[in-house]
């Protein structure tokens, strides 16, 4: 984004902090394209974490513990899907580390947690989920389609 947009600080993964805003935005987008029959989807991460928290020795395992991450991800999906017409979520299976990692590092440093996306698919059978991130082999694609995940990298 431009410096003007980036300076506002409310774009990209940081929007996960405000699922109500995401729901309002997606509802407005859906309303504006309704006459064209264009579906609106959301791409998100399994969570967000500030750089200091990510690297803190005290929370060394928190960034990769699915049981600690899932409640906030579940809340995000519940809020957005119940207050907007979004039924498809493309979920990048890594946390986004805010403030400190480059975009390239954010695509490789945080661990992959595709099991969280599979858990969402189980908990929200009326919604559609796509796993995104680190799937580089056809065998892994097939495993994810079966709902079992795979190595991913």
């Amino acid at each position: 984004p431009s410096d003007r947009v980036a300076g506002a600080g409310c774009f990209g993964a940081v929007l996960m902090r405000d699922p109500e805003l995401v729901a309002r935005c997606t509802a407005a987008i859906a309303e504006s394209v309704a006459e064209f029959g264009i579906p609106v989807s959301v791409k998100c991460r399994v969570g967000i974490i500030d750089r200091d928290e990510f690297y803190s020795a005290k929370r060394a395992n928190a960034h990769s513990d699915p049981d600690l991450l899932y409640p906030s991800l579940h809340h995000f999906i519940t809020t957005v899907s119940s207050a907007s017409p979004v039924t498809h979520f493309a979920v990048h299976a890594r946390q986004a580390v805010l403030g400190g990692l480059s975009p390239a590092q954010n695509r490789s440093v945080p661990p992959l947690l595709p099991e969280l996306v599979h858990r969402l698919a189980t908990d929200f059978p009326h919604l559609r989920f796509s796993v995104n991130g680190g799937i580089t082999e056809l065998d892994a694609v097939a495993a994810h389609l079966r709902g079992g995940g795979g190595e991913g990298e």
Side-chain angles (χ1 to χ4, degrees):
S2 70
D3 290 339
R4 184 174 182 183
V5 172
C10 196
F11 64 95
V14 76
L15 285 168
M16 289 188 73
R17 285 187 176 149
D18 193 350
E20 292 82 8
L21 175 61
V22 174
R24 288 193 308 273
C25 289
T26 54
I29 293 167
E31 184 179 331
S32 72
V33 298
E35 69 181 282
F36 305 108
I38 299 171
V40 176
S41 62
V42 168
K43 183 174 182 188
C44 62
R45 295 285 189 126
V46 295
I48 57 174
I49 189 169
D50 291 320
R51 181 193 56 137
D52 292 341
E53 290 180 78
F54 183 76
Y55 287 114
S56 169
K58 180 178 173 187
R59 293 186 48 127
N61 293 322
H63 72 282
S64 62
D65 185 338
D67 291 329
L68 292 175
L69 296 173
Y70 193 71
S72 60
L73 177 59
H74 188 279
H75 173 73
F76 179 83
I77 299 299
T78 298
T79 302
V80 174
S81 66
S82 65
S84 79
V86 171
T87 59
H88 177 224
F89 293 83
V91 184
H92 190 138
R94 300 179 195 273
Q95 274 193 299
V97 179
L98 304 176
L101 293 184
S102 69
Q105 290 171 314
N106 253 316
R107 291 188 298 269
S108 62
V109 172
L112 283 167
L113 300 166
E115 65 271 21
L116 292 175
V117 185
H118 294 287
R119 191 169 165 187
L120 289 171
T122 298
D123 289 352
F124 297 92
H126 60 289
L127 300 176
R128 202 176 74 166
F129 295 93
S130 302
V131 179
N132 176 257
I135 302 168
T136 60
E137 302 292 329
L138 285 178
D139 289 344
V141 171
H144 283 288
L145 289 173
R146 288 190 303 273
E151 290 301 314
E153 289 192 329

